[in-house]
Amino acid sequence: VQLPNGQTFDNGNYASNLFFLNNYYHFRAFQKWQPYVGAGLVWSQEVDIDYEENGFETSFSGDSKTGWQLFVGTDYKISSQWSLLAEIRYTSLNSLTLVSENNTDEVFSNIDYEPLSLQAGLKYQF
């Protein structure tokens, strides 16, 4: 990665705090399988990127951005109350601005943050 000041880094990591409001559509159950699709809104409390090289770290963060997500998954009924679930989820936050946390004026502008995640879980219904 090359920073706005021309400095390059080979290692790094990112973190984000995202909150979702989703709507699910469950298809008619096929015995033990119950597929679903969904869509929703996302709000980012923070997106943070850290670049590291030889013990030196440069951090950038941005916050308060809205976006959207789409997902598809299925539940597999183990019993009347327990299910396994598997899901793939695509999230999109566009035009983020990430500002340096290292007391410099460096800024990354117009960043598209688009994570694709695979999720697995265990669900209990009351």
Side-chain angles (χ1 to χ4, degrees):
V1 170
Q2 185 170 4
L3 299 182
N5 69 1
Q7 189 175 13
T8 59
F9 291 88
D10 293 329
N11 296 312
N13 61 71
Y14 71 91
S16 59
N17 294 330
L18 306 176
F19 297 91
F20 303 98
L21 178 63
N22 295 319
N23 189 25
Y24 290 78
Y25 177 78
H26 287 267
F27 295 98
R28 191 178 63 136
F30 300 100
Q31 302 273 331
K32 292 186 173 215
W33 295 95
Q34 186 173 15
Y36 60 89
V37 296
L41 298 174
V42 59
W43 174 72
S44 68
Q45 185 268 331
E46 179 184 29
V47 175
D48 178 81
I49 297 176
D50 301 325
Y51 295 111
E52 303 164 357
E53 188 71 32
N54 298 325
F56 177 74
E57 181 177 276
T58 300
S59 299
F60 293 84
S61 68
D63 56 1
S64 297
K65 190 73 174 173
T66 58
W68 55 273
Q69 70 172 337
L70 299 172
F71 50 92
V72 61
T74 189
D75 290 342
Y76 178 76
K77 228 175 207 346
I78 299 170
S79 70
S80 62
Q81 293 181 301
W82 289 96
S83 303
L84 294 173
L85 64 96
E87 181 179 287
I88 186 167
R89 188 177 290 242
Y90 172 78
T91 303
S92 179
L93 290 164
N94 294 320
S95 301
L96 288 173
T97 298
L98 302 180
V99 178
S100 174
E101 295 178 350
N102 298 84
N103 298 324
T104 67
D105 293 333
E106 294 176 305
V107 174
F108 278 122
S109 298
N110 295 318
I111 299 211
D112 294 335
Y113 183 58
E114 298 177 335
L116 180 66
S117 60
L118 298 173
Q119 301 181 42
L122 181 64
K123 180 167 74 172
Y124 179 79
Q125 290 184 260
F126 296 94

